[in-house]
Amino acid sequence: MLIGDVARRSGVSARMLRHYESLGLVRPTGRTGSGYRRYADEDIRRIFHIESLRSLGLSLRDVGRALDDPGFAPAELVEDLILRTRERIAAETELLTRLRRIDAAEPAGWEEVLRVVALLQALESKSPGARQRAALSAGEDAAVPVEALVEAVLGESDPIVAGALRWALAQSGGDGTALLAEGLDSPAAEVRERAVRCLAELPDGTATALLRDALGHPDAVVRRYAALALGARGVADAVPTLIDMIVGATNDADAADALGALANGSAPVGSPAPVNGPALADRIAAGLVDRLAQEAVGPDARRRLTQALADVPGGTASRALAALARDEDRAVALTATYILKLRDTR
């Protein structure tokens, strides 16, 4: 078979076949009387073998060794090819992600493209200061796609930079809640905490719904941050978790403040309309009293629960404090008596 026929049958160009010959990879069986190369069936099979090995990423040098060196062991080379392929895929995936983020920013010109690229690179900087400046720029300019901000904040260990990133995410106006919801399910505890803290600073209804769901999260840290955020938004569902926090002495002062705000209906401006009024105040007081009555609750926890009644208005809280003023635990009784005196002066 002549070289043109081989090229058509194998899909390898005549020029490449000559290159293979120059490297010694494949040699024609002979030549015609006119000097044309003649290939036998065995030569064609070798050409197919060469192409198969090349398709795996082997260099022509390694292809020659694989075909001609009887002692050639493929295992090590294949492992190296796997490693290089993974590295190449990772690099290509990173490039694709960056291109998608640039596209999401909808740049109007190359200057904007370069600005977005610079901000994305700064968010990945080893310098906390550079990352913080990038976060503040992103929050002011909204040039960085939300996806990039979420990824940055979920991976940020520096508390100052993380705060700047949360602010930038809240300022961006984009919908990062779906990505943050995925963060809540991360196997890494620190990522779950970062996700719930971000949701706590997003004022929209979707974030509030996710925070409600987070009250049942298996991670206690997630439940606590969700409860504090919901308490600040006037959401009564947070009450049981806030009481648990007081008993457990975990952010108990913040939890007591949140209960007081709920009981008095003083959610921040822009929060969902709080479920306030006497009914909620009585519900909170009843919840605190129920925990006070539990035998498993120790003296320190009982004092904290008593102190939490201070900012809860209504008859239920007042009656509970009057009873606690006669408590066997002197510290509890003194605390309740002092709170009652303060209430009388208001």
Side-chain angles (χ1 to χ4, degrees):
M1 190 177 297
L2 300 181
I3 191 170
D5 297 325
V6 174
R8 284 190 295 273
R9 181 173 174 181
S10 66
V12 181
S13 68
R15 181 178 180 181
M16 185 58 72
L17 289 171
R18 295 189 187 96
H19 182 55
Y20 288 169
E21 182 180 352
S22 70
L23 296 175
L25 287 174
V26 61
R27 296 180 179 84
T29 300
R31 290 181 179 267
T32 66
S34 303
Y36 293 106
R37 295 170 175 80
R38 186 187 298 279
Y39 294 85
D41 290 343
E42 184 63 28
D43 300 326
I44 295 172
R45 279 194 292 272
R46 185 175 173 91
I47 292 169
F48 281 121
H49 291 163
I50 292 170
E51 293 304 300
S52 295
L53 292 173
R54 284 189 65 200
S55 71
L56 298 177
L58 270 70
S59 66
L60 291 177
R61 179 175 176 274
D62 288 332
V63 167
R65 289 174 57 209
L67 294 176
D68 299 327
D69 184 356
F72 180 77
E76 184 177 344
L77 181 59
V78 170
E79 289 177 3
D80 182 60
L81 287 172
I82 291 172
L83 177 61
R84 280 189 281 163
T85 301
R86 285 175 174 166
E87 291 174 348
R88 186 172 65 252
I89 290 172
E92 293 292 334
T93 302
E94 183 179 350
L95 175 60
L96 177 61
T97 299
R98 181 159 295 187
L99 289 171
R100 285 178 52 244
R101 289 174 178 174
I102 292 171
D103 183 57
E106 300 181 348
W110 283 110
E111 286 189 5
E112 288 190 27
V113 170
L114 294 174
R115 180 162 50 86
V116 174
V117 170
L119 283 171
L120 291 174
Q121 289 175 336
L123 287 174
E124 298 170 0
S125 171
K126 293 182 179 180
S127 166
R131 298 197 301 275
Q132 182 183 11
R133 289 191 294 274
L136 296 175
S137 297
E140 294 169 354
D141 203 9
V144 176
V146 170
E147 180 184 347
L149 288 174
V150 172
E151 181 179 311
V153 75
L154 292 183
E156 183 56 64
S157 59
D158 187 291
I160 297 176
V161 180
L165 285 166
R166 289 196 299 271
W167 173 80
L169 188 58
Q171 295 295 312
S172 69
D175 184 13
T177 51
L179 295 171
L180 291 172
E182 293 178 9
L184 290 177
D185 294 327
S186 170
E190 61 272 18
V191 174
R192 296 195 296 270
E193 179 180 338
R194 292 165 192 159
V196 72
R197 293 187 69 177
C198 281
L199 286 169
E201 296 190 23
L202 297 180
D204 59 272
T206 304
T208 300
L210 287 171
L211 289 167
R212 283 179 186 267
D213 292 340
L215 290 173
H217 199 282
D219 187 335
V221 173
V222 171
R223 294 197 301 271
R224 292 165 190 159
Y225 275 110
L228 289 172
L230 290 169
R233 297 180 191 209
V235 179
D237 294 353
V239 169
T241 304
L242 292 171
I243 293 176
D244 287 341
M245 292 170 65
I246 293 171
V247 173
T250 307
N251 297 104
D252 52 292
D254 293 334
D257 288 343
L259 285 176
L262 277 168
N264 288 279
S266 54
V269 176
S271 298
V275 183
N276 55 13
L280 180 55
D282 287 346
R283 173 182 163 187
I284 292 171
L288 291 168
V289 170
D290 286 345
R291 294 305 293 273
L292 276 160
Q294 293 178 5
E295 292 183 2
V297 177
D300 291 340
R302 295 186 79 245
R303 284 192 288 274
R304 290 192 295 272
L305 289 166
T306 303
Q307 290 167 357
L309 285 165
D311 292 325
V312 180
T316 302
S318 294
R319 287 189 294 273
L321 287 166
L324 289 167
R326 302 184 299 274
D327 196 88
E328 294 179 357
D329 186 323
R330 181 169 174 77
V332 170
L334 289 173
T335 300
T337 301
Y338 176 71
I339 293 172
L340 284 171
K341 288 180 179 178
L342 290 178
R343 292 166 80 93
D344 289 341
T345 62
R346 291 174 182 172

